Amino acid sequence: ALIAILAGDGIGPEVTAEARRVLEALDLGLTFEEAKVGGAAYEVAGHPLPPETLAVAERADALLFGAVGDPRFDGLERAHRPEQAILGLRKAFGLFANLRPARLFEGLEDASSLRPDIARRIDMVIVRELTGDVYFGAKGRGTTEAGLREGHDLMRYDEEEVARIARVGFETAMRRRRRLLSVDKANVLETSQLWRDVVIEVAKEYPDVALDHMYVDNCAMQLVRDPGQFDVILTGNLFGDILSDQASMCAGSIGMLPSAALGATGKGLYEPIHGSAPDIAGQDKANPCAAILSAAMMLRHSLGQAEAADRIDAAVAGAIRDGARTGDLGGSLSTRAMADAILDRL
Amino acid sequence: ALIAILAGDGIGPEVTAEARRVLEALDLGLTFEEAKVGGAAYEVAGHPLPPETLAVAERADALLFGAVGDPRFDGLERAHRPEQAILGLRKAFGLFANLRPARLFEGLEDASSLRPDIARRIDMVIVRELTGDVYFGAKGRGTTEAGLREGHDLMRYDEEEVARIARVGFETAMRRRRRLLSVDKANVLETSQLWRDVVIEVAKEYPDVALDHMYVDNCAMQLVRDPGQFDVILTGNLFGDILSDQASMCAGSIGMLPSAALGATGKGLYEPIHGSAPDIAGQDKANPCAAILSAAMMLRHSLGQAEAADRIDAAVAGAIRDGARTGDLGGSLSTRAMADAILDRL
Ligand SMILES: CC(C)[C@H](C(=O)O)[C@@H](O)C(=O)O
Ligand SMILES: CC(C)[C@H](C(=O)O)[C@@H](O)C(=O)O
């Protein structure tokens, strides 16, 4: 299989290099092709997601993404800013399902700002819709009748968009504790009311899964109060953006958490949830675990290699359990040394 | 001055009764008029915000609100559900500015799920816009060209809506540490980009306030990681709904936190941030502190009685410091006994 390596900006290149090293060590006959994305692409090609990169992504079976974001380009108008690369890739390949596991690794109980007894129980997956909602609805700037400037973005979903992500939610729940929590704001939003109606309809296809609903504001509270209560959370693009970041932080080390963006075909995009961290870029300090665990998700979801994925997961958990720590975890291992600790356990 | 008491559902009547008792004890010459709202109003008048209640609210100088929400009415279509009362009151009286303080009271360090050293530092105000955004934009259900059901809600702001709430944010910052953080999602939303532009323009009127910006997903993370970093957060209606609930829970005891909804005139609506808690309604168990502190906010913001407000704040803080605790705080005081502990210290 062909893997596109879209390393991006900041620490992206460092951590994806280690993820690639781990994949190579497993000898799965993968081939790799690198392409620029984000600020790194804007710099050479004048666009954060240039056609050359799209072409590489097009022919690849899966995309291993690093991180995008570079303060040098913060002043650009939105269409040219590094983050547009990730929105563009999601849309170009119909990657509508974002899987974001959040769990606390044994040994990292003290990394969370939550009390250890509360943090220890965190083990959830957020299933976030990724190509609809207010992110991709009609948007623009205008002038009101009174001559005032205004800005608008249409929040919307149709029943097919909701049903297909709901199925991903129910399937995920089937592989776990058979409980699905759908999060919306149905007391205020019509979009949410449609969302809720359709999720309830799809639930009939999954009689073994217990479905519940929660308002997004309450969910943000409960994620602080007792995150251990959650197993699989299903939600829309905007609420998922907020809640999944919150949940990751509850689990303590955002340097540990991977994510997947999946579509209707097997192709997926895999990326650490952390950003480009320009402050430590190029210093061999970044934690490569999230990128390495993203590679494991890729093996599992795009390449049918669940066993190899399990081996990587176990090696990361083992290295952490045995005390391997980069700076973000309170240790002093370099990016490369941390990856070595994982490779040793493969 | 005339105070409308809109006690509402569940524990609303119990806690507002104690808040009224505290106000009466201060002998400020206030008069009170009660009116039904929420499920309690629907039951007798067929609407959660009937004309009689609006009329009382209309002639009052300030509204002391309890809580709305009653599981018996969850099945009603949205327009008749209890929560519509609060949306209707905000809109009817142009209450565009929601002030939501979140702080940890001395003695309640253990009530938060955050580590005590992190929780102890929480002391912020969230300034949330309350009559615009996707809450009040054009909304509906429809059918796509392909015959699919869809639901939509328009997110939008115009420059005047943003400027007036921004001024409330800057004024709040002037009374505190002169730092304002505006939270948006300007990397994705045009509404947010307008928001950011206008906030930056209004900042010129407040050269003494340092203005920063943060994306909402990052803010949700930072509220978990280190909530002590925040002082005044300014944000829109939807993001404010989520972040303010999250911040309240970080501070531990949502039974302790009041809120204010203010308009262009002096009239305001004051309510505890907790809900109607039907499970403990009518049992003399609810914590009246949030309602009592809401009454203090009313004295300060609608009635020009800052000194009386300070006295209430100090009495509540004193009672808590001395160990007075209702069930939600791990104690066994009744609603009335807790209020007595506060009255003793007035
Ligand atoms: C960079 C940004 C556009 C993106 C999003 O909001 O989806 C990011 O926050 C994420 O969650 O992947
Ligand atoms: C009840 C609901 C409509 C309301 C809101 O979303 O504004 C509530 O959550 C709040 O924050 O006051």
Side-chain angles (χ1 to χ4, degrees), chain B residues 6-186:
Chain B
L6 309 176
D9 304 319
I11 61 171
E14 298 161 68
V15 297
T16 45
E18 300 308 325
R20 176 176 176 166
R21 207 151 64 89
V22 169
L23 287 170
E24 285 171 341
L26 287 171
D27 233 348
L28 302 165
L30 303 175
T31 53
F32 299 89
E33 197 170 342
E34 309 215 342
K36 296 220 180 283
V37 73
Y42 180 80
E43 219 171 350
V44 296
H47 194 282
L49 184 60
E52 309 84 84
T53 299
L54 270 172
V56 173
E58 181 67 54
R59 58 177 174 267
D61 297 294
L63 321 178
L64 197 60
F65 192 91
V68 291
D70 184 326
R72 288 179 300 155
F73 304 120
D74 277 355
L76 294 178
E77 96 263 37
R78 187 162 52 238
H80 283 134
R81 284 209 297 255
E83 310 94 279
Q84 293 306 304
I86 186 72
L87 296 174
L89 284 164
R90 290 172 187 166
K91 202 64 183 178
F93 299 109
L95 305 173
F96 66 85
N98 192 196
L99 301 188
R100 295 204 29 181
R103 70 181 183 101
L104 192 91
F105 284 77
E106 202 187 320
L108 296 183
E109 290 76 7
D110 291 339
S112 172
S113 50
L114 298 182
R115 294 169 182 276
D117 53 311
I118 291 175
R120 189 171 293 124
R121 298 177 51 232
I122 300 178
D123 183 1
M124 71 182 104
V125 179
I126 299 196
V127 177
R128 168 190 175 196
E129 201 286 333
L130 210 48
T131 53
D133 201 356
V134 71
Y135 272 62
F136 292 98
K139 51 185 70 241
R141 300 283 282 269
T143 314
T144 66
E145 280 179 22
L148 299 174
R149 287 171 293 161
E150 61 95 50
H152 60 265
D153 302 84
L154 187 65
M155 176 179 280
R156 74 174 286 289
Y157 272 121
D158 71 37
E159 59 180 309
E160 277 187 0
E161 291 172 307
V162 179
R164 67 182 178 178
I165 190 70
R167 286 193 185 95
V168 176
F170 283 104
E171 294 291 340
T172 306
M174 288 290 285
R175 288 193 300 273
R176 294 175 51 107
R177 285 184 270 156
R178 303 189 174 214
R179 289 169 40 209
L180 182 66
L181 179 73
S182 172
V183 172
D184 62 35
K185 185 78 190 176

Side-chain angles (χ1 to χ4, degrees), chain A residues 217-295:
Chain A
D217 46 337
N218 188 22
C219 186
M221 282 208 201
Q222 299 301 328
L223 275 171
V224 172
R225 195 183 67 80
D226 177 22
Q229 76 187 277
F230 296 106
D231 188 29
V232 182
I233 293 179
L234 168 70
T235 191
N237 203 346
L238 183 63
F239 298 155
D241 180 46
I242 300 169
L243 297 176
S244 63
D245 273 4
Q246 185 189 345
S248 309
M249 191 52 89
C250 289
S253 332
I254 59 169
M256 297 298 302
L257 298 177
S259 75
L262 308 174
T265 67
K267 186 181 290 202
L269 180 154
Y270 301 86
E271 58 167 330
I273 64 133
H274 61 67
S276 57
D279 50 316
I280 58 161
Q283 299 174 33
D284 197 21
K285 273 188 185 172
N287 184 348
C289 288
I292 292 169
L293 292 168
S294 297

